[in-house]
Amino acid sequence: MNPTIEAMLTKYNVTRQTRDFISAGHQKMFINGEFCESDCGETSTVEDPSNGCPLMTVPRGTAADTDRAVAAAKAAFQSGPWAEMTPGDRQNLMLKLADVMEEHAQTIAEIEAIDAGKAIGGCYEVDILSTIGHIRFMAGWATKIEGNTREISTPNTFAFTLKEPVGVVGAIVPWNWPLNMSFWKMAAALAVGCTIVLKPAEITPMSILYVMKIFKEAGLPDGVINIVTGKGSVIGNRLAAHPDVNKVSFTGSTPTGQTVGKAAVEGMKHLTLELGGKSAMVAFEDADIDAIVEGAHASVFFNAGQVCSAGSRLYVHKEIYQDTVDALASSLKEVVIGDPLNPETTQGPQISKGQFDSVMNYIGIGKEEGATLAFGGNVVDREGYYVEPTLFTDCNNGMTIVQEEIFGPVLTVIPFITEEEAVRLANDNIYGLSGSVFTRDLSRAIRVTKRLETGSVCINAHDIVDVAMPFGGYKMSGIGKDMGKEQLEHFLETKSVIAQL
Ligand code: NAD
């Protein structure tokens, strides 16, 4: 093991399972219930973003590996233990898998924190515990899938609809919530009886591979979940185009989503696209400034700003503009930048050198465009890919940093005077993933909420995410919903049946 990694595992006294998993130095992918190598024998290296050291290697899967995984998923869907399970059996199996995850929660959190550079406290709560809750919520839906009867006008008939699982789901997920996003796709798919081939992001495959080990021991039937590691352009492409994949569920950037979407439509597949965002927080003169600050820390300053629904554009009424900027700047002094495994840490590194360079490039553009740095803006002087939390004032909607998704801890603040102006500015963006309204005036809160062109809105908070509520974007932020009971429809076909009596 790399000495830096070894020292870190010892310093933070990780679980024996975390140490064993990482010290193995290589983990295989998971197809048809077996851990296996890629057919080409090649591997990719996963690195630790807090120091840039290699952590481990995983197979660099190929199109042929993807085909094997799809064949396994298709076979498991059509026959065998999974295909024969009743909804109650599926529910019970999912609940058992959630229990097993809970037993291993600390280990999974440590592996995720190391691989994705996440601060361990938030990672344990948000990435791991919420994923377990998510699986339990969706498990309950397995027994509640229903078609209905219809009174039709054709004489002497009996008509009803059947709800049937679509079949094999190709799931493609990003690196910012590796485990979370995997189960945002898989839990609903499993609940309705689908089988899955999942492609984790190339740089964050570790937590899901660990979870497959414990799921296998817990009795997950072969072929129900298959994990193919490797490049998006190879595996993701093949999944999106594969004739035996019936549904593609993708989370990632808008440009990649467009490519995946084209291939999926070509193959006439069901499709969900959860894409990028540049969400607005709108704060009126009667807003609670502490709530605005909290909203920023819960989104654009959480997970090092690598949050799709981050409130990265803040529009504040002129009357409270300066007080809000001062409160935000002062709160940013409290951010603790450090090792992901340190429980004191609130901000870890950016996920990779590429993301780090991209965020620093945007900060440079912001300065060139004339925005004022009210806080941060610098590289943190330590190993790894750390960026200071950054606050830009004197911004306007014409600026690149206000229009484009930075995907880092960078907040832009813009003053407004009228409600009309606030709504116009908030909607002046290609994305529409999330948003928020801060005001004590209930009528105004509801009025503005209805006018925001975005898939979800929080009032007096930003980015409360709950599995019971559907999540998905308007405009260039995507098509379809994850979570909520709405998501189940995305994994179901509706069959019309008419019997002539
Ligand atoms: P990305 O688009 O680069 O990659 C996402 C996934 O697609 C990865 O697994 C990648 O390997 C794969 N991929 C890459 N090229 C592909 C191709 N040609 N065909 C098929 N698959 C391919 O995104 P990212 O950088 O990993 O993630 C960040 C983005 O994800 C941000 O834009 C963020 O807003 C978005 N995101 C959205 C949500 C949401 O729910 N809307 C949630 C999390 C992240």
Side-chain angles (χ1 to χ4, degrees), residues 172-177 181 184 199-202 230-233 235-237 240 250-254 256-257 259-260 274-277 307-309 355 405 407 433 471 477 482:
I172 303 170
V173 294
W175 45 260
N176 61 334
W177 311 103
M181 291 299 119
W184 276 31
K199 196 207 87 62
E202 193 175 359
K231 278 189 154 335
S233 53
I235 299 153
N237 251 340
F250 172 88
T251 297
S253 63
T254 296
T256 311
T259 305
V260 167
E274 295 281 357
L275 309 177
V307 176
C308 53
S309 46
Q355 274 303 121
E405 183 181 42
F407 226 51
L433 190 55
F471 185 93
S477 291
D482 282 350

Side-chain angles (χ1 to χ4, degrees), residues 277-278 312-313 315 358-371 392 394-407 410-412 414 428-431:
K278 184 75 180 177
S312 48
R313 296 181 288 143
Y315 299 97
S358 167
V359 173
M360 289 313 299
N361 184 44
Y362 272 115
I363 291 173
I365 292 174
K367 290 194 255 183
E368 276 165 27
E369 285 181 331
F392 273 118
D394 297 320
C395 300
N396 64 63
N397 260 23
M399 290 178 172
T400 309
I401 55 165
V402 178
Q403 287 300 328
E404 295 186 9
E405 183 181 42
I406 298 176
F407 226 51
V410 182
L411 175 62
T412 59
I414 296 179
D428 171 28
N429 196 272
I430 60 166
Y431 295 111

Side-chain angles (χ1 to χ4, degrees), residues 1 5-14 19 22 114:
M1 200 180 348
I5 306 292
E6 168 82 56
M8 174 187 71
L9 298 183
T10 303
K11 181 174 178 190
Y12 294 109
N13 194 21
V14 296
R19 177 175 281 279
I22 290 175
I114 294 167

Side-chain angles (χ1 to χ4, degrees), residues 248-325:
V248 174
S249 187
F250 172 88
T251 297
S253 63
T254 296
T256 311
Q258 288 170 312
T259 305
V260 167
K262 277 180 202 149
V265 168
E266 188 82 19
M268 217 50 77
K269 299 177 195 319
H270 292 253
L271 177 65
T272 299
L273 297 172
E274 295 281 357
L275 309 177
K278 184 75 180 177
S279 300
M281 303 199 290
V282 179
F284 289 92
E285 66 278 14
D286 59 349
D288 174 354
I289 291 178
D290 290 343
I292 304 170
V293 172
E294 219 170 285
H297 282 271
S299 64
V300 71
F301 297 121
F302 187 62
N303 205 31
Q306 299 163 140
V307 176
C308 53
S309 46
S312 48
R313 296 181 288 143
L314 172 60
Y315 299 97
V316 196
H317 193 277
K318 217 170 172 181
E319 258 180 43
I320 60 162
Y321 177 81
Q322 197 52 51
D323 288 349
T324 304
V325 168

